[in-house]
Amino acid sequence: MAKIVFLDEYSLGGYDLSAISSLGEYMGYDRTTPSQVVERCKGATVVISNKVYISRETMQQLPELKMIAISATGMNNVDLEAAAELGIVVKNVSGYSTDSVAEATLGSALALLRNSVYYDRYFKNGSYASTSDIFHFGRPISLLKGKNWGIIGLGTIGHRVAHLATAFGCNIAYTSTSGVAREEQYPHKKLLELLQWADVVSIHSPLNAKTAGLIGPLEFKEMKPTAIIINVARGGIIDETALADALNKEIIAGAALDVFSSEPLPVSPLYNLKDPDALFASPHTAWAADEAVRILIEGVAENIKNFLLSLRQ
């Protein structure tokens, strides 16, 4: 029976992992530090990891390792070149979070445009109960309908966001971070042109040499003072110091972030904004709808099952 080791079970939120654990001699760890990886993976045929890095050096010390199952889509936690050289199969799961991330993107836009956090706090902190006014107009409320929505990275998630935003009555355009403008149903604009045009900008591109620091001081200055920007892709795409400055100087109206340059984010000017309600933030949970996590677990189990079957053939 194959030995299967999961290095960071906590990353799947405590969900039932029996679909995976039933596939072999299973050992799961809540969290694993870099110094613990080799010892915990000794004798394993399959190692599962979400964010724990598996290096060339680690793989070289694990002669029985045949497969790395990534419990995510991104594969930057594995030295893929080394895995290929050593004959170790690496499998990820794609598409499980498309709807979850797309809905989180729309939800973030609505929360910012309607100032939902402010009005929720106004009710819960007793301010509403202490007044005789039926209505309160402390912050502006704006419709999503009719807004120009610019998408940076029109991949699977970008397409889903475009579809949902269209249903809300938005006008859609996109920019390609690869530099290749495909034939799409939505118009393509160069980045600066897109930023000048858009009321809402959402980012759905990978973090790579072309996108690292893509949105910084110069880009924020091109945006409308009423515009909002949403990043549910990777943290390094937005210069967070520049974003804090843009929010504090009201160069843009708001931002929503689910990803950060460092996760967790220890120290940042984003924690000390002049207007905290200009930022709507969440701790990398856009992907984590209940349904998405269950699909992810099923995907990991299916990848391992198929691999183990291939070994027997």
Side-chain angles (χ1 to χ4, degrees):
M1 181 174 286
K3 181 179 178 181
I4 301 170
V5 174
F6 197 157
L7 294 174
D8 49 354
E9 286 185 334
Y10 97 94
S11 63
L12 296 186
Y15 281 73
D16 179 12
L17 299 178
S18 59
I20 297 171
S21 61
S22 63
L23 297 175
E25 178 190 339
Y26 179 81
M27 178 62 69
Y29 299 95
D30 192 53
R31 291 167 173 81
T32 298
T33 65
S35 63
Q36 296 173 320
V37 175
V38 172
E39 183 61 34
R40 290 183 171 183
C41 293
K42 280 183 178 178
T45 304
V46 178
V47 169
I48 308 166
S49 173
N50 184 292
K51 288 292 183 286
V52 177
Y53 187 69
I54 303 177
S55 65
R56 176 185 293 271
E57 182 183 4
T58 295
M59 287 182 261
Q60 288 173 333
Q61 296 179 69
L62 302 171
E64 296 180 55
L65 179 61
K66 304 300 180 187
M67 178 192 188
I68 298 171
I70 300 176
S71 55
T73 298
M75 303 174 76
N76 57 335
N77 63 322
V78 176
D79 185 330
L80 297 175
E81 182 179 341
E85 290 176 10
L86 295 167
I88 298 170
V89 173
V90 181
K91 290 287 186 180
N92 66 343
V93 183
S94 61
Y96 66 91
S97 64
T98 298
D99 289 315
S100 183
V101 174
E103 289 186 14
T105 305
L106 269 290
S108 296
L110 291 167
L112 284 169
L113 291 172
R114 300 194 65 85
N115 273 293
S116 299
V117 173
Y118 168 82
Y119 285 108
D120 178 75
R121 185 174 62 251
Y122 179 83
F123 178 86
K124 291 176 179 176
N125 68 12
S127 295
Y128 190 55
S130 66
T131 182
S132 60
D133 293 338
I134 298 173
F135 310 112
H136 175 67
F137 302 98
R139 294 182 73 91
I141 296 172
S142 182
L143 288 177
L144 188 53
K145 182 179 180 181
K147 294 291 190 293
N148 293 339
W149 190 305
I151 294 177
I152 298 176
L154 193 65
T156 303
I157 293 174
H159 271 104
R160 186 62 179 150
V161 169
H163 176 76
L164 295 176
T166 299
F168 274 85
C170 294
N171 309 305
I172 308 297
Y174 81 100
T175 193
S176 170
T177 57
S178 68
V180 179
R182 304 179 304 273
E183 187 173 336
E184 295 282 355
Q185 64 187 104
Y186 311 107
H188 177 269
K189 296 178 183 290
K190 292 183 178 179
L191 178 60
L192 294 185
E193 182 187 3
L194 186 86
L195 296 176
Q196 294 164 355
W197 171 84
D199 301 298
V200 180
V201 176
S202 62
I203 301 172
H204 309 286
S205 58
L207 177 62
N208 54 39
K210 290 185 177 181
T211 62
L214 183 70
I215 307 298
L218 295 178
E219 287 72 28
F220 285 121
K221 288 178 182 177
E222 296 295 327
M223 295 175 67
K224 299 175 183 179
T226 54
I228 62 174
I229 189 166
I230 301 164
N231 188 10
V232 290
R234 288 292 181 266
I237 296 173
I238 287 183
D239 179 334
E240 291 162 353
T241 300
L243 172 60
D245 187 61
L247 292 173
N248 284 332
K249 293 179 179 177
E250 299 183 4
I251 294 171
I252 64 171
L257 300 178
D258 184 64
V259 290
F260 306 91
S261 57
S262 177
E263 296 177 346
L265 189 66
V267 177
S268 171
L270 294 173
Y271 289 122
N272 299 292
L273 296 173
K274 291 180 181 178
D275 177 12
D277 286 323
L279 176 66
F280 182 72
S282 52
H284 206 135
T285 56
W287 67 275
D290 178 89
E291 296 85 349
V293 179
R294 295 182 189 280
I295 293 170
L296 173 58
I297 292 169
E298 291 171 5
V300 172
E302 191 67 19
N303 282 342
I304 295 172
K305 185 187 301 181
N306 290 337
F307 175 75
L308 294 178
L309 283 173
S310 72
L311 291 181
R312 301 186 191 117
Q313 294 173 353

